[in-house]
Amino acid sequence: MPIDQPTTLIATVKPLPVPTTGRDIDLRVKVTAPVSGTNLPVIVFSHGNAWSMDGYGPLVDRWAGAGFVVVQPTHLDSRRHGIGFDDPRFGTIWRVRIADLHAVLDHLDELLDQARAAGLRASVDHDRIAVVGHSWGGQTAGTLLGARVLDADGTPGEDFSHPAVRAGALIAATGTGDTLTPFAVEHLPFMRPDYSTMTTPALVVAGGRDQSAMSTRGPDWFTDAYHLSPAPKSLLTIVEGHHTLGGVAGEQVAETTDEDPARVALVADAVSAYLLDAFDLDGTAWKALSERAVPGDGAYHVEHR
């Protein structure tokens, strides 16, 4: 079935440098946005493990087409940096990822000035900024919404929330860490989020067939961010969705096990509709998507709390 495409003219500017400290590889980002527009909402997007600013085009292009300015950093775990599990730097990358998002937000005006100098004429609304992430990026984004990371004794770590962030979306985000596999315990001990302090409004997106190799639990693991965090939250469950939810990182990507462009479009449109509603810009699309889930074909369902 053909997928409706946004008709808004968009453009991309990359790579733009972002000032950072304590990072031995420079932080670069990509900005994708409508070529013009005023007071546009912002999405800062955190990619999944090993990806980069150049991934997730099917999501990012639809978000920009819906009127968002999207900023994508390349984190240190990107394949292009060659930092594997056995690299001594890997154990601290989860912290650097969070610092990357903070750096983007703290230098957002400078980034947009660079983007405008390269041809983008859009301006943004600093009161309507969201963070979104997929997989590891979901946990990263969640910390800016207020989630914390538990240490080995179960003590919550520091607060990484950012005052500029008003809403967010976590796509296939890590669940709680009490059922991690031995591999995850050894290499990914930070995969122990505490969602009890994640107070910022957020949409959680989960696949009904997403079985993680990092947890002994089933697909419900990816709904913890919804069930264990304070309201207001919404949960979109895509019944047949796997971890890449139809291929959110790109078309015909090798790791995608449930290739479905319509599923990817659903994820993208649900995130943009939710954020437009959360920002009090337009609630019609989010209301319609939620209502269609009830009498529809059972492809997805939506919960609120």
Side-chain angles (χ1 to χ4, degrees):
M1 177 184 298
I3 307 302
D4 292 338
Q5 298 296 324
T7 57
T8 301
L9 188 63
I10 66 174
T12 292
V13 179
K14 68 170 187 177
L16 301 177
V18 181
T20 58
T21 57
R23 203 180 193 273
D24 57 357
I25 300 174
D26 291 341
L27 175 60
R28 307 281 182 180
V29 304
K30 178 171 75 172
V31 176
T32 306
V35 295
S36 62
T38 58
N39 297 322
L40 301 179
V42 177
I43 292 174
V44 178
F45 181 78
S46 180
H47 62 71
N49 181 45
W51 280 92
S52 72
M53 69 171 81
D54 295 317
Y56 296 90
L59 297 183
V60 172
D61 287 356
R62 290 186 78 88
W63 292 335
F68 288 84
V69 174
V70 187
V71 185
Q72 295 175 263
T74 294
H75 296 303
L76 283 182
D77 56 284
S78 174
R79 292 183 184 91
R80 60 189 55 177
H81 295 325
I83 300 176
F85 291 127
D86 296 328
D87 191 296
R89 293 171 291 180
F90 191 86
T92 61
I93 283 180
W94 70 273
R95 289 180 173 274
V96 181
R97 277 175 148 266
I98 296 168
D100 290 348
L101 300 190
H102 276 262
V104 168
L105 291 166
D106 293 342
H107 296 280
L108 186 60
D109 285 335
E110 298 167 45
L111 286 171
L112 295 174
D113 285 344
Q114 294 180 68
R116 281 189 283 269
L120 288 181
R121 298 187 299 278
S123 67
V124 305
D125 185 342
H126 287 82
D127 290 326
R128 292 186 169 100
I129 296 176
V131 290
V132 179
H134 173 246
S135 194
W136 192 358
Q139 184 181 0
T140 305
T143 62
L144 275 74
L145 301 173
R148 301 194 180 191
V149 177
L150 301 175
D151 65 15
D153 297 323
T155 302
E158 58 261 59
D159 179 6
F160 292 109
S161 59
H162 195 287
V165 176
R166 297 288 184 263
L170 309 185
I171 305 168
T174 299
T176 50
D178 54 345
T179 60
L180 294 180
T181 61
F183 176 89
V185 170
E186 178 181 359
H187 296 285
L188 309 166
F190 53 83
M191 200 175 280
R192 301 188 70 201
D194 174 13
Y195 290 116
S196 67
T197 53
M198 195 176 77
T199 57
T200 307
L203 169 66
V204 177
V205 181
R209 293 187 178 276
D210 188 356
Q211 178 60 61
S212 176
M214 303 302 167
S215 171
T216 59
R217 278 172 60 192
D220 69 299
W221 191 57
F222 294 99
T223 67
D224 283 354
Y226 171 75
H227 291 292
L228 302 179
S229 64
K233 296 293 184 296
S234 293
L235 172 65
L236 167 65
T237 302
I238 299 176
V239 176
E240 297 296 325
H242 296 196
H243 193 61
T244 56
L245 295 162
V248 293
E251 296 177 357
Q252 297 184 333
V253 170
E255 66 195 54
T256 300
T257 56
D258 63 333
E259 188 82 31
D260 187 342
R263 189 170 295 161
V264 176
L266 170 61
V267 173
D269 293 348
V271 170
S272 59
Y274 173 85
L275 293 177
L276 289 172
D277 180 65
F279 289 152
D280 295 321
L281 291 172
D282 184 355
T284 56
W286 178 240
K287 180 181 179 182
L289 185 145
S290 298
E291 290 176 346
R292 284 198 305 270
V294 178
D297 59 5
Y300 69 94
H301 53 84
V302 179
E303 302 172 47
H304 309 282
R305 49 185 294 276

